[in-house]
Amino acid sequence: MSGTPVIDLKAEGPKAHAARLAADHSASEATEILRTAVEEFGDSLALVSSFGAESAVLLHIASRVAPDLPVIFLETGKHFAQTLNYRRKLAAKLGLTNVQDIRPAADEVAAEDPDGDLWRRDTDACCTLRKVRPLDTALSGYGAWVTGRKQFHGGARVSLPAFEHTGSHYKVNPLVRWNPDDISAYFEANDLPPHPLVAQGFPSIGCWPCTHPVGEGEDARSGRWRGQAKTECGIHGRA
Ligand code: SF4
Protein backbone atom coordinates (compact mmCIF):
# COMPACT_ATOMS: atom_id res chain seq x y z
CA MET A 1 0.00 0.00 0.00
CA SER A 2 1.40 3.38 -0.90
CA GLY A 3 1.06 6.46 1.27
CA THR A 4 2.67 8.16 4.18
CA PRO A 5 3.25 5.95 7.23
CA VAL A 6 2.19 8.36 9.95
CA ILE A 7 -0.95 10.20 10.95
CA ASP A 8 -0.63 13.94 11.19
CA LEU A 9 -2.87 14.69 14.15
CA LYS A 10 -2.84 18.41 13.37
CA ALA A 11 -3.00 20.95 16.12
CA GLU A 12 -6.75 20.46 16.41
CA GLY A 13 -6.60 17.05 18.09
CA PRO A 14 -8.01 13.78 16.80
CA LYS A 15 -11.69 14.29 17.66
CA ALA A 16 -11.83 17.70 16.01
CA HIS A 17 -9.80 16.34 13.10
CA ALA A 18 -12.31 13.51 12.61
CA ALA A 19 -15.25 15.91 12.94
CA ARG A 20 -13.73 18.16 10.29
CA LEU A 21 -13.19 15.22 7.93
CA ALA A 22 -16.77 14.10 8.55
CA ALA A 23 -18.11 17.58 7.77
CA ASP A 24 -15.94 17.86 4.65
CA HIS A 25 -17.28 14.50 3.44
CA SER A 26 -20.89 14.77 4.54
CA ALA A 27 -21.99 14.19 0.96
CA SER A 28 -19.00 12.37 -0.52
CA GLU A 29 -19.12 9.10 -2.42
CA ALA A 30 -17.73 6.05 -0.64
CA THR A 31 -14.73 5.84 -2.96
CA GLU A 32 -13.79 9.43 -2.17
CA ILE A 33 -14.12 8.81 1.56
CA LEU A 34 -11.86 5.78 1.38
CA ARG A 35 -9.34 7.56 -0.84
CA THR A 36 -9.23 10.42 1.66
CA ALA A 37 -8.64 7.95 4.48
CA VAL A 38 -5.72 6.38 2.59
CA GLU A 39 -4.24 9.83 2.01
CA GLU A 40 -4.77 10.96 5.61
CA PHE A 41 -3.69 7.82 7.43
CA GLY A 42 -1.34 6.03 5.03
CA ASP A 43 0.18 2.87 6.45
CA SER A 44 -1.64 3.45 9.74
CA LEU A 45 -4.92 2.42 8.09
CA ALA A 46 -6.49 -1.06 8.06
CA LEU A 47 -9.93 -2.32 7.04
CA VAL A 48 -11.89 -4.73 9.23
CA SER A 49 -14.28 -7.03 7.41
CA SER A 50 -16.56 -9.87 8.48
CA PHE A 51 -16.87 -11.12 4.89
CA GLY A 52 -20.59 -11.08 5.61
CA ALA A 53 -23.69 -10.28 3.58
CA GLU A 54 -22.74 -6.74 2.54
CA SER A 55 -18.95 -6.94 2.81
CA ALA A 56 -18.20 -7.38 -0.87
CA VAL A 57 -19.13 -3.76 -1.58
CA LEU A 58 -16.54 -2.18 0.70
CA LEU A 59 -13.95 -4.79 -0.23
CA HIS A 60 -14.53 -4.10 -3.91
CA ILE A 61 -14.10 -0.36 -3.37
CA ALA A 62 -10.91 -1.05 -1.39
CA SER A 63 -9.60 -3.26 -4.20
CA ARG A 64 -9.95 -0.28 -6.55
CA VAL A 65 -8.44 2.31 -4.19
CA ALA A 66 -5.70 0.31 -2.43
CA PRO A 67 -5.62 -3.45 -3.12
CA ASP A 68 -2.78 -3.88 -0.63
CA LEU A 69 -4.73 -2.24 2.20
CA PRO A 70 -4.49 -4.56 5.24
CA VAL A 71 -7.85 -6.35 5.62
CA ILE A 72 -8.42 -7.85 9.06
CA PHE A 73 -10.79 -10.81 9.28
CA LEU A 74 -11.59 -11.96 12.81
CA GLU A 75 -11.44 -15.74 12.53
CA THR A 76 -13.38 -16.48 15.71
CA GLY A 77 -13.46 -20.23 15.15
CA LYS A 78 -17.26 -19.98 15.10
CA HIS A 79 -17.94 -18.89 11.55
CA PHE A 80 -20.23 -20.72 9.16
CA ALA A 81 -18.24 -22.88 6.71
CA GLN A 82 -19.89 -20.82 3.97
CA THR A 83 -18.29 -17.65 5.35
CA LEU A 84 -14.79 -19.14 5.39
CA ASN A 85 -15.23 -20.34 1.82
CA TYR A 86 -16.59 -16.94 0.77
CA ARG A 87 -13.66 -15.17 2.45
CA ARG A 88 -11.19 -17.22 0.38
CA LYS A 89 -12.99 -16.86 -2.94
CA LEU A 90 -13.88 -13.18 -2.60
CA ALA A 91 -10.36 -12.11 -1.59
CA ALA A 92 -8.96 -13.96 -4.61
CA LYS A 93 -11.58 -12.58 -7.01
CA LEU A 94 -11.01 -8.99 -5.89
CA GLY A 95 -7.22 -9.27 -5.88
CA LEU A 96 -6.89 -8.23 -2.26
CA THR A 97 -3.28 -9.00 -1.40
CA ASN A 98 -3.17 -8.41 2.35
CA VAL A 99 -6.07 -10.20 4.03
CA GLN A 100 -5.09 -11.28 7.54
CA ASP A 101 -6.95 -13.94 9.54
CA ILE A 102 -6.79 -12.89 13.18
CA ARG A 103 -7.51 -15.63 15.71
CA PRO A 104 -8.06 -15.55 19.48
CA ALA A 105 -5.02 -16.45 21.56
CA ALA A 106 -4.86 -20.23 21.99
CA ASP A 107 -3.93 -20.03 25.68
CA GLU A 108 -6.85 -17.71 26.38
CA VAL A 109 -9.28 -20.01 24.57
CA ALA A 110 -7.92 -22.98 26.54
CA ALA A 111 -8.39 -21.11 29.81
CA GLU A 112 -11.70 -19.36 29.18
CA ASP A 113 -13.56 -21.53 26.70
CA PRO A 114 -12.01 -25.01 26.75
CA ASP A 115 -15.20 -26.69 25.52
CA GLY A 116 -16.03 -24.06 22.91
CA ASP A 117 -19.47 -23.35 24.35
CA LEU A 118 -18.93 -20.08 26.18
CA TRP A 119 -21.42 -18.49 23.78
CA ARG A 120 -24.19 -20.53 25.46
CA ARG A 121 -23.47 -19.02 28.88
CA ASP A 122 -22.06 -15.56 28.27
CA THR A 123 -22.05 -14.04 24.80
CA ASP A 124 -20.32 -10.87 25.99
CA ALA A 125 -17.42 -12.88 27.42
CA CYS A 126 -17.27 -14.99 24.26
CA CYS A 127 -17.16 -11.91 22.01
CA THR A 128 -14.50 -10.37 24.22
CA LEU A 129 -12.37 -13.52 23.96
CA ARG A 130 -12.89 -14.20 20.27
CA LYS A 131 -13.34 -10.72 18.79
CA VAL A 132 -12.58 -7.74 21.01
CA ARG A 133 -9.20 -8.75 22.42
CA PRO A 134 -7.87 -10.19 19.12
CA LEU A 135 -8.90 -7.00 17.33
CA ASP A 136 -7.28 -4.85 20.01
CA THR A 137 -4.04 -6.74 19.42
CA ALA A 138 -4.34 -6.57 15.64
CA LEU A 139 -5.09 -2.84 15.66
CA SER A 140 -2.32 -1.95 18.05
CA GLY A 141 -0.11 -1.31 15.04
CA TYR A 142 -2.63 1.00 13.35
CA GLY A 143 -4.11 4.38 14.10
CA ALA A 144 -7.24 4.15 11.95
CA TRP A 145 -9.58 1.48 10.65
CA VAL A 146 -12.30 1.25 8.03
CA THR A 147 -15.65 -0.31 8.89
CA GLY A 148 -18.66 -1.34 6.83
CA ARG A 149 -21.23 0.09 9.25
CA LYS A 150 -24.24 1.90 7.84
CA GLN A 151 -26.88 4.15 9.36
CA PHE A 152 -29.75 1.96 8.16
CA HIS A 153 -28.53 -0.88 10.41
CA GLY A 154 -30.33 0.99 13.17
CA GLY A 155 -29.57 1.09 16.88
CA ALA A 156 -26.46 3.08 17.74
CA ARG A 157 -25.57 3.28 14.05
CA VAL A 158 -28.34 5.67 12.96
CA SER A 159 -26.25 8.77 13.55
CA LEU A 160 -22.85 7.52 12.43
CA PRO A 161 -20.57 10.00 10.64
CA ALA A 162 -18.16 9.07 7.84
CA PHE A 163 -15.18 9.81 10.09
CA GLU A 164 -15.01 9.54 13.88
CA HIS A 165 -12.42 9.16 16.60
CA THR A 166 -13.21 6.92 19.55
CA GLY A 167 -10.82 5.55 22.14
CA SER A 168 -7.40 5.49 20.54
CA HIS A 169 -8.40 5.10 16.90
CA TYR A 170 -9.96 6.92 14.01
CA LYS A 171 -12.79 5.01 12.35
CA VAL A 172 -13.79 5.52 8.75
CA ASN A 173 -17.26 4.51 7.56
CA PRO A 174 -17.38 5.00 3.76
CA LEU A 175 -20.81 3.34 3.33
CA VAL A 176 -22.48 5.16 6.17
CA ARG A 177 -25.28 6.65 4.06
CA TRP A 178 -25.92 3.62 1.85
CA ASN A 179 -29.24 1.82 1.99
CA PRO A 180 -30.17 -1.75 0.97
CA ASP A 181 -31.10 -0.66 -2.56
CA ASP A 182 -27.68 1.00 -3.02
CA ILE A 183 -25.99 -2.19 -1.90
CA SER A 184 -28.06 -4.42 -4.18
CA ALA A 185 -27.42 -2.11 -7.12
CA TYR A 186 -23.67 -2.12 -6.47
CA PHE A 187 -23.56 -5.92 -6.28
CA GLU A 188 -25.36 -6.13 -9.61
CA ALA A 189 -23.39 -3.39 -11.37
CA ASN A 190 -20.07 -4.95 -10.38
CA ASP A 191 -21.06 -8.60 -10.70
CA LEU A 192 -20.16 -9.29 -7.09
CA PRO A 193 -20.90 -12.78 -5.71
CA PRO A 194 -23.40 -12.83 -2.83
CA HIS A 195 -22.63 -14.55 0.44
CA PRO A 196 -24.33 -17.94 0.00
CA LEU A 197 -26.40 -17.53 3.17
CA VAL A 198 -28.15 -14.38 1.97
CA ALA A 199 -30.47 -16.47 -0.19
CA GLN A 200 -31.38 -18.45 2.93
CA GLY A 201 -32.70 -15.38 4.78
CA PHE A 202 -29.57 -14.07 6.49
CA PRO A 203 -29.16 -10.33 5.73
CA SER A 204 -26.51 -9.98 8.46
CA ILE A 205 -24.03 -12.78 9.10
CA GLY A 206 -21.72 -13.38 12.03
CA CYS A 207 -20.80 -16.49 14.02
CA TRP A 208 -23.12 -19.46 13.49
CA PRO A 209 -24.28 -19.80 17.13
CA CYS A 210 -25.43 -16.18 17.24
CA THR A 211 -26.88 -15.62 13.77
CA HIS A 212 -30.43 -16.49 12.73
CA PRO A 213 -32.54 -15.85 9.65
CA VAL A 214 -34.62 -12.68 9.56
CA GLY A 215 -38.28 -12.42 8.68
CA GLU A 216 -39.97 -10.04 6.26
CA GLY A 217 -39.96 -6.47 7.63
CA GLU A 218 -37.48 -7.13 10.43
CA ASP A 219 -34.29 -5.10 10.87
CA ALA A 220 -31.34 -6.57 9.03
CA ARG A 221 -29.44 -7.16 12.28
CA SER A 222 -32.39 -8.56 14.25
CA GLY A 223 -31.13 -12.11 13.67
CA ARG A 224 -27.93 -11.40 15.55
CA TRP A 225 -28.00 -12.60 19.19
CA ARG A 226 -31.74 -13.11 18.77
CA GLY A 227 -33.61 -13.04 22.06
CA GLN A 228 -30.89 -11.07 23.84
CA ALA A 229 -30.50 -7.36 24.57
CA LYS A 230 -27.09 -7.58 22.91
CA THR A 231 -26.93 -5.89 19.50
CA GLU A 232 -23.17 -5.42 18.97
CA CYS A 233 -20.20 -7.72 19.51
CA GLY A 234 -18.28 -5.01 21.32
CA ILE A 235 -15.55 -4.21 18.83
CA HIS A 236 -17.09 -0.82 18.11
CA GLY A 237 -17.27 0.14 21.76
CA ARG A 238 -13.64 -0.67 22.37
CA ALA A 239 -11.29 1.89 23.77
S1 SF4 B 1 -20.84 -13.79 17.99
FE1 SF4 B 1 -21.36 -15.52 19.35
S2 SF4 B 1 -19.91 -17.20 18.90
FE2 SF4 B 1 -19.11 -15.27 17.95
S3 SF4 B 1 -17.69 -14.47 19.42
FE3 SF4 B 1 -19.67 -13.48 19.86
S4 SF4 B 1 -20.76 -14.82 21.37
FE4 SF4 B 1 -18.99 -15.97 20.52
Side-chain angles (χ1 to χ4, degrees), residues 73-79 102-104 109 130-131 206-207:
F73 172 64
L74 293 173
E75 214 307 29
T76 62
K78 298 294 181 186
H79 284 295
I102 303 299
R103 295 179 171 80
V109 172
R130 296 179 180 275
K131 292 185 175 181
C207 298

Side-chain angles (χ1 to χ4, degrees), residues 129-196:
L129 169 67
R130 296 179 180 275
K131 292 185 175 181
V132 178
R133 292 207 299 261
L135 184 61
D136 278 345
T137 301
L139 286 178
S140 63
Y142 300 96
W145 51 298
V146 185
T147 91
R149 292 174 300 162
K150 304 162 192 79
Q151 293 172 346
F152 87 83
H153 289 157
R157 303 186 179 193
V158 296
S159 57
L160 271 181
F163 291 84
E164 56 186 327
H165 187 278
T166 59
S168 55
H169 287 79
Y170 289 86
K171 284 195 272 188
V172 184
N173 311 305
L175 305 179
V176 67
R177 289 179 291 276
W178 286 44
N179 62 39
D181 289 341
D182 298 327
I183 294 163
S184 297
Y186 194 94
F187 264 85
E188 191 171 339
N190 293 283
D191 195 25
L192 295 176
H195 189 299

